């Protein structure tokens, strides 16, 4: 079975986003960028399935500017076999991303697509579900355990009240949560080897898809800042303040 | 063209998140000068439909009572939403794991760009939503004729539960997809209030050092009738299950009082709690970023502060 894995280059999770002075977007100039953390779990899971003999080939996909290649090289260094870079300067909405993946699934014919449950930049949490819909495939979101058993897969999903186990018919789109696994670090020899692994570039325009945005961002704003707080001396003082000043207990 | 809410429920009771979505839906309906319907899709869920009908200001409850909707699997629920979509200008669900699961699927089937996690309604086409873990807010306008929206429940007051008398109309179930099936659910059992609707939340982080130490939080939570949460670091360390997690990719809470204990204040944790009315931080590291958002800070070892707090609360 072949697995297709989506990897997105995003602002590093440890970096606090700052809004541009003109209110048009978040300023990413010279900011540290990383692979979306959930996508790292998706790559790791594909590698583990390959190590378990259930997968023969891992193809990672990223859509974005030239530098998205760095994210793809990282996935190759972790253990993916080859990568496809859909090159565009345009920021795509999840629906458009799902259409690009649908196109690539038709070409590559994978038996499973793995993506992170959410990208930590736009926080949309849509792409995997949308792709499953466009393909007419089953879906498992927020997955923290995945067992592929031939024609079906059993997954454990992290839901608000606890955990849910479902069985999905293969092929499926699985969106992954952090507890699915612990992603490996790429070792230096593997980083070197990854430079020689195949990385195919496709221009987004050549795919002939409707990726026009449906949403117009009118403004990007800083959230209201919280007023500075006070440091207290003791637990007793804290309880007193909560009772008599804040009046919340 | 009216507004449709997809009710979150367990076939027995309406989930409180649905009431927050009602408020958002009524704001939209006010701008668009239209009415609000609720879809209850489930099996043997008449009590839920009756509860939905009693919410003030609801025009119709549309009820699908069918085996295919018993567990609200994404494939079947999305198909049901698509079957009704032509009648609606807006379709809303809570931005909970329930809403996030099926609504994007329905959106793609309708060729619509979903608007996730709205925190405010500007008008019928324009909404505000947090991005980058809430460190920025985007004002977006949708050009889709039917708008699919998930609602950040902490940003909209819950609507009243009683006072309405909407008609309940049965709807034909869409076809079972056969793509997925439900195996089982392990729900956390707790005597405490539910995390996302509790008035007071006390959360522990990596500083708790061990799952067993969460008992110290429990003791304070008992005194305050608080829910207990955790940072992702505490969940990743295995101290508590993931459904305790407050943060960008866990639960978003906005209680009257949030007490962060042994939590450093990583960006992704702040994203889940910084809309709380009053924030208390207890951490022995005075440099911890959590103090920058706290109204009251206490630089103290939590293993001394928590028992002292339980005492002080009497």
């Amino acid at each position: 079975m072949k697995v297709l894995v989506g990897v997105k280059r995003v602002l590093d999770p440890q970096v606090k986003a700052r809004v541009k002075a003109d209110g048009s977007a978040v300023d990413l100039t010279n900011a540290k960028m990383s692979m979306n953390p959930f996508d790292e779990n998706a790559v790791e899971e594909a590698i583990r399935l390959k190590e378990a003999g259930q997968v023969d080939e891992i193809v990672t996909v990223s859509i974005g500017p030239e530098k998205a290649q760095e994210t793809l090289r990282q996935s190759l260094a972790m253990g993916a076999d080859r990568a496809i870079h859909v090159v565009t300067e345009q920021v795509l909405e999840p629906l458009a991303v799902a259409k690009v993946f649908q196109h690539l699934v038709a070409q590559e014919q994978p038996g499973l697509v793995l993506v992170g449950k959410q990208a930590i930049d736009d926080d949309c949490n849509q792409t995997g579900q949308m792709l499953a819909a466009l393909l007419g495939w089953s879906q498992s979101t927020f997955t923290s355990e995945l067992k592929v058993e031939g024609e079906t897969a059993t997954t454990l999903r992290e839901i608000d009240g606890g955990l849910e186990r479902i069985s999905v018919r293969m092929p499926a789109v699985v969106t992954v949560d952090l507890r699915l696994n612990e992603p490996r670090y790429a070792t230096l020899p593997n980083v070197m080897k990854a430079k020689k692994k195949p990385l195919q570039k496709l221009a987004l325009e050549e795919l002939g898809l409707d990726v026009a945005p449906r949403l117009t961002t009118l403004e990007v704003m800083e959230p209201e800042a919280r007023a500075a707080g006070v440091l207290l001396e003791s637990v007793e003082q804290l309880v007193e303040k909560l009772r008599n000043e804040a009046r919340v207990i | 063209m009216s507004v449709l809410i997809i009710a979150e429920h367990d076939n027995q009771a309406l989930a409180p998140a649905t009431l927050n979505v009602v408020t958002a839906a009524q704001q939209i309906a006010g701008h668009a000068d239209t009415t609000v319907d609720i879809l209850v899709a489930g099996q043997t869920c008449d009590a839920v439909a009756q509860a939905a009908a009693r919410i003030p200001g609801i025009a119709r409850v549309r009820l699908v009572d069918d085996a295919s909707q018993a567990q609200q699997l994404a494939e079947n629920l999305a198909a049901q939403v698509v079957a009704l979509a032509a009648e609606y200008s807006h379709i809303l669900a809570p931005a909970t794991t329930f809403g996030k699961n099926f609504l994007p699927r329905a959106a793609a089937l309708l060729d619509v760009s979903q608007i996730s996690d709205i925190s405010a309604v500007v008008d019928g086409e324009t909404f505000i939503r947090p991005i980058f873990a809430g460190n920025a807010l985007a004002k977006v306008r949708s050009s889709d004729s039917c708008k699919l929206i998930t609602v950040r429940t902490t940003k909209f007051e819950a609507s009243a539960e009683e006072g309405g008398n909407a008609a309940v109309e049965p709807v034909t179930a869409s076809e079972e997809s056969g793509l997925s099936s439900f195996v089982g659910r392990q729900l956390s059992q707790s005597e405490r209030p539910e995390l996302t609707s509790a008035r007071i939340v006390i959360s522990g982080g990596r500083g708790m050092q061990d799952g067993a130490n969460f008992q110290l939080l429990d003791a304070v939570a008992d005194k305050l009738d608080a829910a207990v949460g955790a940072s992702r670091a505490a969940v990743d360390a295995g101290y508590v299950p993931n459904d305790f997690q407050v943060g960008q990719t866990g639960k978003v809470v906005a209680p009257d009082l949030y007490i962060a204990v042994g939590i450093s204040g990583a960006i992704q944790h702040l994203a889940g709690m910084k809309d709380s009315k009053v924030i208390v931080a207890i951490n022995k590291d005075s440099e911890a970023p959590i103090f920058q958002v706290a109204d009251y800070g206490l630089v103290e070892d939590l293993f001394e502060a928590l028992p002292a707090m339980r005492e002080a609360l009497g």
Side-chain angles (χ1 to χ4, degrees), chain B residues 184-273:
Chain B
R185 209 168 276 150
Q186 297 162 247
L187 298 180
S188 306
Q189 301 296 329
S190 173
E191 299 292 306
R192 295 222 166 74
E194 203 268 317
L195 195 50
T196 52
S197 53
R199 207 181 64 78
I200 302 178
V201 173
I202 180 165
S203 291
R206 173 122 40 211
M208 297 304 294
Q209 295 181 9
D210 196 318
N213 293 334
F214 268 71
Q215 285 171 8
L216 298 169
L217 289 182
D218 291 342
V220 176
D222 286 342
K223 293 282 181 196
L224 295 171
D225 192 27
V228 175
S231 69
R232 194 175 98 195
V235 172
D236 286 349
Y239 302 166
V240 286
N242 184 53
D243 51 292
F244 279 55
Q245 192 195 142
V246 172
Q248 181 185 15
T249 60
K251 293 194 172 93
V252 176
V253 302
D256 290 344
L257 173 61
Y258 188 88
I259 308 175
V261 183
I263 290 177
S264 65
I267 290 168
Q268 70 86 27
H269 183 73
L270 301 182
M273 46 64 79

Side-chain angles (χ1 to χ4, degrees), chain A residues 11-231:
Chain A
L11 181 67
D12 185 90
Q14 306 303 327
V15 177
K16 188 166 184 273
R18 306 235 172 256
V19 174
K20 283 185 185 171
D22 66 359
S24 61
V26 163
D27 191 359
L28 298 176
T29 319
N30 300 324
K32 185 181 178 208
M33 304 292 278
S34 299
M35 187 189 295
N36 182 44
F38 298 97
D39 300 346
E40 288 189 84
N41 296 91
V43 174
E44 176 65 33
E45 195 64 13
I47 299 167
R48 291 188 188 193
L49 287 168
K50 191 178 175 193
E51 286 169 348
Q54 292 188 293
V55 160
D56 334 294
E57 191 184 25
I58 303 166
V59 182
T60 53
V61 178
S62 195
I63 305 168
E66 259 332 287
K67 289 213 163 162
Q69 268 195 44
E70 292 169 11
T71 307
L72 287 169
R73 288 289 172 203
Q74 185 191 339
S75 72
L76 295 171
M78 286 172 75
D81 297 297
R82 62 186 172 88
I84 301 174
H85 180 193
V86 179
V87 187
T88 179
E89 293 294 327
Q90 206 183 324
V91 176
L92 299 192
E93 288 167 10
L95 180 64
V97 173
K99 288 177 182 177
V100 173
F101 272 79
Q102 180 189 19
H103 176 89
L104 295 174
V105 166
Q107 273 184 1
E108 296 284 339
Q109 300 285 318
L112 173 68
V113 177
L114 292 169
V115 291
K117 72 165 180 178
Q118 161 179 352
I120 61 161
D121 49 6
D122 61 26
D123 281 334
C124 278
N125 200 324
Q126 299 175 9
T127 302
Q129 297 90 311
M130 288 184 153
L131 175 61
L134 297 178
L135 294 168
W137 289 10
S138 61
Q139 69 175 60
S140 171
T141 51
F142 328 129
T143 307
S144 63
E145 196 181 292
L146 169 63
K147 286 192 187 126
V148 180
E149 296 141 339
E151 298 296 299
T152 61
T154 306
T155 69
L156 196 60
R157 304 180 53 237
E158 300 202 331
I159 58 170
D160 286 336
L163 295 166
E164 177 179 283
R165 199 176 294 281
I166 61 170
S167 170
V168 296
R169 203 168 79 194
M170 298 292 276
V173 177
V174 173
T175 86
V176 313
D177 219 318
L178 292 170
R179 274 145 303 281
L180 179 62
N181 55 46
E182 184 135 350
R184 69 194 64 195
Y185 288 103
T187 61
L188 189 58
N190 285 341
V191 171
M192 301 311 288
K193 263 190 252 169
K195 291 182 178 165
K196 297 201 179 86
K197 287 186 180 175
L199 191 155
Q200 181 191 359
K201 277 200 204 180
L202 300 170
L204 177 66
E205 306 79 62
E206 285 169 24
L207 306 183
L209 302 167
D210 168 22
V211 293
R214 311 296 183 78
L215 304 177
T216 312
T217 299
L218 303 175
E219 190 183 352
V220 176
M221 300 159 274
E222 294 271 4
E224 217 174 292
R226 290 188 76 96
V230 289
L231 279 184

Side-chain angles (χ1 to χ4, degrees), chain B residues 280-295:
Chain B
V280 170
I282 301 175
N283 200 307
K284 65 180 176 189
D285 174 10
S286 62
E287 301 292 305
I290 190 77
F291 287 115
Q292 291 165 19
V293 300
D295 300 286

